[in-house]
Amino acid sequence: MAYSVKLISIEEKGALAERYSPEVRYEVKSEIYGCCVKLLTGSREVKDRWEENFYFISSSIRSHARLYVVYDPAVADDQVLYDPLSKTAFLVNVGYYGWIKSLALSAAGDVLEDEHGIYSVHGACLDLRGRGICILGGSGAGKTTHTYGLLRRPETRVVSDDWFFARIYGDDVLAYGSEKNFYIRAELSSIWKEFSGLADKAHFDEEGRGVVDIRLAIGKGRILPLTTLGMVVVLKRDPEDGEIQRSLEPEEALAILEGSGYYNPHFLVRNDFKRSLRSGFFSALFSRVPVFMVNTVGTPEESQRAIGKSISEGLWPARRDEELS
């Protein structure tokens, strides 16, 4: 991560809002899993991408969280200041939209985590024949590549390709999507030819990413608002480890998540209370569903087969001889 987060007081928040209010030309309210998140910016490009990315909500709804995305020549690049009391973030000189949309999700997650027992998962969520699959992994492990690799299969549907919210209902863990369209890499079409048409319909930024309507490639019937999680796949890329695929015990899986910051570099608040909440959720998740580790050191197709083997063993353990290949 290249940006830094500084927590500020509500008094500092008031002063910053007054300082940057002359720059705000656009105000957009959007719905992120029941939360009203308000964007305030002077950038037409940020406004347009935001509106492509998130669902509209009535402007008469009072906001739960706010993001100022502003430019200030007197401040260093990529500064994030956050008031946890009012749930207001100031993104100063942050040009990468991927961080902007992730911090919007994180601000909504801060509200949901503290007040509603709903947790952020920085990972993909797919649905295969009614069973949810959570895909986690650090940067470079291939989370996006293999999420879309699985989406080549017509029986696979998607809740989210990058971030979803989850809550525990008795023995079940329900996963909910929140984004209207997805933010993908242009290079995806060179890995999986099935998605080559998306590149022709998207405007990619200087980072080689753009907001696209994935329905154009897979059909709108394969976008789901929620699913019940049935398993977790943790991806890593470690050439020193010769083991490609194995199951994880819940304690080992939790230790991996805690050691990696839950694979979420975008949390706005990190303290003992938050760590307790997050570890409590993932501990409950791993006690309810099987967890597998896949080392993605092979070719994309080889790693897809290893992921398919994990899915067969995790979702249908009685049918291991019928691996998803």
Side-chain angles (χ1 to χ4, degrees):
M1 289 304 303
Y3 68 78
S4 61
V5 177
K6 177 186 176 183
L7 298 185
I8 60 174
S9 68
I10 196 165
E11 290 81 11
E12 290 173 300
K13 167 257 176 184
L16 287 170
E18 183 175 355
R19 174 177 176 175
Y20 291 123
S21 62
E23 185 181 331
V24 174
R25 297 172 56 205
Y26 307 104
E27 297 187 7
V28 183
K29 289 182 177 179
S30 298
E31 190 261 338
I32 299 180
Y33 189 44
C35 293
C36 176
V37 179
K38 184 177 182 178
L39 169 71
L40 303 99
T41 187
S43 169
R44 177 63 181 267
E45 182 177 359
V46 169
K47 170 203 174 272
D48 289 346
R49 287 185 181 272
W50 177 285
E51 290 179 328
E52 287 181 298
N53 194 175
F54 293 115
Y55 290 103
F56 169 81
I57 195 170
S58 169
S59 61
S60 65
I61 303 296
R62 299 305 175 203
S63 56
H64 299 94
R66 287 144 295 280
L67 261 74
Y68 285 79
V69 180
V70 296
Y71 173 72
D72 187 341
V75 176
D77 286 347
D78 301 323
Q79 301 297 303
V80 178
L81 303 101
Y82 183 63
D83 168 28
L85 184 59
S86 67
K87 313 297 185 190
T88 302
F90 296 86
L91 283 59
V92 185
N93 304 335
V94 175
Y96 177 38
Y97 179 76
W99 291 347
I100 296 170
K101 77 108 177 178
S102 293
L103 288 165
L105 291 161
S106 188
D110 200 26
V111 175
L112 296 168
E113 191 175 58
D114 286 354
E115 301 175 23
H116 301 282
I118 298 170
Y119 298 91
S120 296
V121 182
H122 188 226
C125 182
L126 302 174
D127 178 279
L128 181 60
R129 302 168 193 156
R131 308 288 300 280
I133 303 164
C134 169
I135 301 178
L136 301 173
S139 177
K143 181 183 67 180
T144 301
T145 294
H146 293 295
T147 294
Y148 284 92
L150 291 171
L151 275 174
R152 294 176 301 158
R153 311 172 189 274
E155 69 272 24
T156 305
R157 296 185 287 181
V158 61
V159 173
S160 174
D161 73 336
D162 181 66
W163 186 305
F164 63 93
F165 297 102
R167 67 185 311 172
I168 297 166
Y169 280 101
D171 293 334
D172 293 328
V173 180
L174 301 187
Y176 302 83
S178 60
E179 295 177 71
K180 178 173 62 176
N181 291 314
F182 298 161
Y183 190 59
I184 69 166
R185 298 196 308 265
E187 66 189 53
L188 185 68
S189 61
S190 66
I191 301 171
W192 307 122
K193 301 302 183 184
E194 292 86 346
F195 298 101
S196 58
L198 288 177
D200 301 329
K201 300 178 177 67
H203 168 68
F204 292 100
D205 58 25
E206 60 187 24
E207 301 287 340
R209 290 177 177 261
V211 178
V212 301
D213 185 351
I214 193 66
R215 299 163 186 81
L216 298 173
I218 65 174
K220 65 181 181 180
R222 291 175 60 198
I223 308 291
L224 292 183
L226 77 160
T227 188
T228 301
L229 291 179
M231 69 172 299
V232 176
V233 178
V234 179
L235 304 181
K236 71 172 184 177
R237 184 167 291 156
D238 183 2
E240 303 300 317
D241 185 354
E243 193 167 30
I244 299 301
Q245 181 259 358
R246 66 184 178 92
S247 63
L248 298 176
E249 294 298 319
E251 296 79 9
E252 182 183 7
L254 180 61
I256 291 170
L257 265 288
E258 290 177 333
S260 66
Y262 312 96
Y263 291 121
N264 193 336
H266 304 292
F267 284 131
L268 285 161
V269 180
R270 300 171 185 270
N271 54 34
D272 290 342
F273 172 69
K274 291 289 195 177
R275 282 188 287 273
S276 176
L277 288 179
R278 293 160 187 162
S279 287
F281 164 72
F282 280 107
S283 178
L285 171 61
F286 297 151
S287 71
R288 286 163 169 77
V289 303
V291 187
F292 289 81
M293 173 78 80
V294 174
N295 189 358
T296 60
V297 290
T299 66
E301 288 289 2
E302 288 171 341
S303 296
Q304 280 283 292
R305 287 193 287 273
I307 294 169
K309 183 174 185 290
S310 298
I311 291 172
S312 293
E313 294 179 3
L315 296 186
W316 301 288
R319 297 163 51 191
R320 293 185 182 182
D321 57 332
E322 302 177 21
E323 290 173 5
L324 189 67
S325 59

